[in-house]
Amino acid sequence: MSAVRSKICGITRMEDALAAVEAGADAIGFVFYAKSPRAVSVQQARAIIKALPPFVTTVGLFVNASRCELGEILDAVPLDLLQFHGDETAEECEGWHRPYIKALRVKAGDDIAAAVDAYPSASGVLLDTYVEGVPGGTGEAFDWSLIPQGLSKPLILAGGLTPENVAGAVARVKPYAVDVSGGVEASKGIKDHAKIRAFIYAVKGI
């Protein structure tokens, strides 16, 4: 099986980004959603990205952002990949001259395969926990048995992952990548560097 990739999301501080990279993170996520306790400013994100070494994917997370807002952020911040966490259609995710992934919030009864197929231009899909009124970052896991086999896109698993449960999640779900935010935090928006290391080492089986 190929190596599972790790994304550390909700980065707000330079030292947390550098700790994640040092531990072996493949991607760093920035939340451009004002209602999130992990939201970053354009200035914060620019400064952090400027300090990153090569071969680290920078990801911008958006929730139902207006075209104007999204355009302004993309003009100012050199993001590699876009992550859409709201009710965006495939058409709304396209046209930004960058690859994107679409987050889908999973609950019992969903036709996950059909939801994935609705985004044929996506580079991958991120499956997160459905909590009413909360677009993500809930810290709660969903029932992984709901994930069907043979999805048409690379699967990124999120929702309630921690250093303690991620190895089991990888073994069971066999995702392309895993995405964590709250599970490696000391407090919202502030990462615990020991937890980051433990998480990534668990993913890599170190």
Side-chain angles (χ1 to χ4, degrees):
M1 192 180 108
S2 61
V4 177
R5 289 144 179 87
S6 298
K7 170 170 165 273
I8 308 297
C9 198
I11 292 286
T12 63
R13 303 191 304 167
M14 179 83 71
E15 57 265 41
D16 296 348
L18 296 177
V21 171
E22 191 175 329
D26 299 283
I28 301 290
F30 300 95
V31 177
F32 294 100
Y33 178 55
K35 294 180 183 175
S36 170
R38 305 176 181 98
V40 287
S41 68
V42 164
Q43 292 76 16
Q44 281 175 294
R46 278 171 64 100
I48 293 169
I49 290 171
K50 194 172 181 181
L52 293 176
F55 307 130
V56 177
T57 301
T58 56
V59 185
L61 185 156
F62 300 91
V63 182
N64 298 328
S66 69
R67 289 194 70 81
C68 178
E69 179 191 2
L70 194 46
E72 287 178 0
I73 291 170
L74 294 185
D75 283 345
V77 184
L79 296 168
D80 299 317
L81 180 70
L82 308 183
Q83 179 174 328
F84 291 102
H85 252 270
D87 307 309
E88 300 89 359
T89 63
E91 292 73 27
E92 288 167 332
C93 297
E94 296 163 4
W96 297 105
H97 307 294
R98 285 172 179 78
Y100 77 89
I101 57 178
K102 181 68 182 78
L104 303 170
R105 296 151 62 206
V106 176
K107 62 183 188 300
D110 286 354
D111 187 339
I112 295 172
V116 171
D117 291 343
Y119 295 87
S121 54
S123 295
V125 292
L126 182 146
L127 299 185
D128 200 354
T129 306
Y130 180 87
V131 175
E132 182 69 38
V134 183
T138 63
E140 297 178 31
F142 64 92
D143 180 357
W144 300 324
S145 70
L146 296 171
I147 302 172
Q149 296 294 309
L151 291 175
S152 60
K153 295 289 178 183
L155 167 63
I156 301 143
L157 184 65
L161 296 177
T162 67
E164 292 73 34
N165 70 9
V166 72
V170 166
R172 179 165 178 180
V173 178
K174 298 179 174 57
Y176 171 79
V178 290
D179 189 329
V180 67
S181 187
V184 293
E185 285 182 335
S187 59
K188 288 189 188 302
I190 307 297
K191 302 305 185 202
D192 180 314
H193 297 182
K195 287 183 180 178
I196 290 176
R197 282 193 299 277
F199 183 90
I200 292 173
Y201 291 0
V203 173
K204 294 180 183 297
I206 296 173

